[in-house]
C-alpha cells in the first residue's frame, strides 16, 4: 500500500519539501506521496496527522515546539532541545526527531572551522542550532527582538542580548534564524545593527531559502561569503527521508534525486 507523508506549517505554500521527497519516491519507485498541510492551530497537529492517515511528516514554522508535545516519544538530539521537525508513525505512536541541526552543520562545513557564531533569533531553529554548536565547542551569542525566549539560551550559557543591550563583537559566522525576510522584505534587526554585525563577521547564513533575504542582500553588498537555507533544507530532508523509508533507500540516491528537485 502507498504511504502518505506531509509537511505542516503556516505559511506552507512556499515549502519545497513536497517536491524534494516526491522526487525521491518517484525516481526510486518507493510507493509513497508527500503533500502539504496548512495548519494554523499547532495544537491540532496530532489529530490532523491521524485523520489524514499519515506515515510521517515534517513540521515547519511555527509548529516545531508544538510538534514535540504531540509526540509519544522523542528520540536523539530532539530530546535535548524540545524541537521536532520530523515525525514518524510507528505502529500508531508518534516518534519525533530533529534533523535541522545536523542539516545545518553539514551545510556550513564549507566555511571551514568556525569558533564563534552569532545567532539572530531565538525560536525553534535557533534552539536546535545553539545546542548543536555548543556540542562542537563553538562560542554562541544569541540576539533576539524580545527578551522572553532568551531565558532558554541563558541556561545553555550562551551570551544573550536583545537589540537594546547588544554590543557587536567579531564572529566567524552570523546566522539569521528569524522568519524576518520570509514573507516581507524586512531585516531581522534594525539596519544600523545589521550593518555593524556584518562588518564584523567572516561568513553569513540564513535559514530562509528560495530567495535572497534583505539580510543576505546586505551581506552580498558587503562582499561577505554567504549562503541561504537551501543546503540546510537539502541536508535535513535527506536525513528525514531516511527516517521515512526506514533507511531502506541508499543515502547517495536520496541526495541525488533531492538535489535534482531543486532544478524543478
Ligand atoms: P519560530 O517561530 O520558532 O521563531 C521565530 C523567531 O523569529 C523568534 O525568535 C522571533 O522573535 C523572530 N522573529 C519573527 N519575526 C521577526 C521580525 N519581524 N523581526 C525580528 N525577529 C522576528 O521559527 P523557526 O525557528 O521554526 O523558523 C525560523 C525561520 O527558519 C523560518 O523562516 C523557517 O522557514 C526557517 N527554517 C529553514 C529551514 C531550512 O531547512 N532551511 C529549517 C528550519 C527553519 P520573538 O521571540 O521576538 O518573537
Amino acid at each position: 500500500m502507498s504511504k502518505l507523508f506531509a509537511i505542516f506549517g503556516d505559511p506552507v505554500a512556499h515549502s519545497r519539501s513536497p517536491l524534494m521527497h516526491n522526487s525521491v519516491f518517484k525516481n526510486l519507485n518507493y510507493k509513497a506521496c508527500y503533500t502539504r498541510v496548512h495548519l494554523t492551530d499547532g495544537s491540532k497537529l496530532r489529530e490532523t496527522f491521524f485523520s489524514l492517515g499519515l506515515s510521517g511528516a515534517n513540521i515547519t514554522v511555527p509548529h516545531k515546539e508544538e510538534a514535540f508535545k504531540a509526540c509519544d516519544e522523542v528520540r536523539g538530539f530532539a530530546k535535548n532541545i524540545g524541537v521536532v521537525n520530523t515525525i514518524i508513525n510507528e505502529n500508531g505512536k508518534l516518534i519525533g526527531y530533529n534533523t535541522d541541526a545536523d542539516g545545518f552543520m553539514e551545510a556550513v562545513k564549507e566555511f571551514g572551522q568556525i569558533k564563534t557564531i552569532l545567532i539572530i533569533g531565538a525560536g525553534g531553529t535557533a534552539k536546535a542550532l545553539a545546542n548543536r554548536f555548543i556540542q562542537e565547542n563553538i562560542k554562541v551569542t544569541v540576539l533576539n527582538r524580545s527578551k522572553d525566549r532568551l531565558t532558554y539560551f541563558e541556561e545553555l550559557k550562551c551570551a544573550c542580548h536583545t537589540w537594546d543591550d547588544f554590543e557587536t563583537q567579531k564572529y566567524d559566522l552570523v546566522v539569521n534564524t528569524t522568519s524576518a525576510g520570509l514573507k516581507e522584505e524586512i531585516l531581522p534587526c534594525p539596519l544600523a545593527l545589521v550593518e555593524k554585525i556584518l562588518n564584523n563577521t567572516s561568513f553569513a547564513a540564513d535559514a530562509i531559502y528560495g530567495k535572497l533575504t534583505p539580510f543576505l542582500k546586505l551581506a552580498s553588498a558587503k562582499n561577505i561569503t554567504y549562503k541561504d537555507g537551501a543546503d540546510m533544507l537539502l541536508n535535513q530532508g535527506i536525513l528525514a527521508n531516511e527516517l521515512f523509508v526506514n533507511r531502506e533507500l541508499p543515502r547517495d540516491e536520496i541526495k541525488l534525486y533531492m538535489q535534482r528537485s531543486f532544478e524543478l
Side-chain angles (χ1 to χ4, degrees):
M1 205 177 77
S2 190
K3 292 180 177 175
L4 184 63
F5 298 92
I7 179 154
F8 290 91
D10 178 23
V12 75
H14 69 285
S15 173
R16 294 194 66 85
S17 291
L19 267 179
M20 289 161 53
H21 290 278
N22 283 326
S23 168
V24 174
F25 295 149
K26 183 166 173 261
N27 285 289
L28 294 178
N29 289 320
Y30 191 85
K31 281 198 176 133
C33 180
Y34 189 112
T35 185
R36 69 184 89 220
V37 179
H38 183 200
L39 184 77
T40 46
D41 180 354
S43 69
K44 299 256 163 45
L45 178 64
R46 193 181 163 93
E47 63 180 81
T48 313
F49 183 104
F50 284 120
S51 71
L52 291 169
L54 298 178
S55 296
N58 287 122
I59 296 86
T60 187
V61 66
H63 302 313
K64 292 184 189 182
E65 291 172 64
E66 203 65 55
F68 177 85
K69 292 186 210 152
C71 290
D72 295 297
E73 186 188 329
V74 176
R75 291 189 191 149
F77 184 67
K79 241 185 332 195
N80 309 350
I81 55 174
V83 182
V84 157
N85 79 325
T86 304
I87 291 181
I88 306 296
N89 182 346
E90 225 179 74
N91 306 316
K93 285 211 163 31
L94 297 192
I95 315 295
Y97 298 87
N98 187 294
T99 67
D100 281 335
D102 281 342
F104 185 84
M105 289 311 281
E106 188 63 32
V108 294
K109 262 189 189 162
E110 69 192 57
F111 292 155
Q113 205 191 0
I114 299 286
K115 291 189 180 142
T116 52
I117 292 191
L118 173 67
I119 298 176
I120 310 180
T125 308
K127 276 187 184 175
L129 298 192
N131 272 278
R132 192 64 184 75
F133 297 153
I134 285 169
Q135 273 187 353
E136 301 291 322
N137 290 322
I138 294 169
K139 190 167 167 265
V140 180
T141 304
V142 181
L143 172 64
N144 197 42
R145 171 177 65 177
S146 56
K147 199 163 174 45
D148 282 3
R149 297 205 214 209
L150 289 175
T151 315
Y152 177 90
F153 297 89
E154 277 159 5
E155 283 165 11
L156 271 185
K157 308 270 181 270
C158 300
C160 295
H161 302 278
T162 58
W163 299 349
D164 296 335
D165 66 3
F166 182 68
E167 295 280 338
T168 311
Q169 299 187 357
K170 290 255 180 231
Y171 303 102
D172 293 329
L173 171 66
V174 51
V175 50
N176 174 33
T177 70
T178 76
S179 36
L182 179 64
K183 281 189 275 188
E184 295 159 289
E185 289 300 289
I186 48 174
L187 288 164
C189 50
L191 176 63
L193 214 51
V194 182
E195 292 266 9
K196 268 196 215 156
I197 292 166
L198 288 175
N199 290 340
N200 284 286
T201 190
S202 307
F203 302 104
D206 206 313
I208 295 170
Y209 60 87
K211 65 179 284 195
L212 202 58
T213 57
F215 174 69
L216 288 188
K217 275 184 198 153
L218 210 54
S220 167
K222 289 180 182 292
N223 284 323
I224 294 167
T225 305
Y226 67 88
K227 71 188 305 177
D228 74 0
D231 279 352
M232 176 186 182
L233 177 76
L234 172 69
N235 293 321
Q236 66 74 32
I238 293 169
L239 298 171
N241 197 281
E242 282 191 319
L243 292 168
F244 290 157
V245 301
N246 207 8
R247 301 198 167 83
E248 280 170 41
L249 302 177
R251 181 180 288 194
D252 287 356
E253 293 195 42
I254 295 176
K255 182 172 183 180
L256 174 73
Y257 292 114
M258 272 202 181
Q259 252 165 345
R260 285 205 188 152
S261 78
F262 280 71
E263 292 153 20
L264 297 173

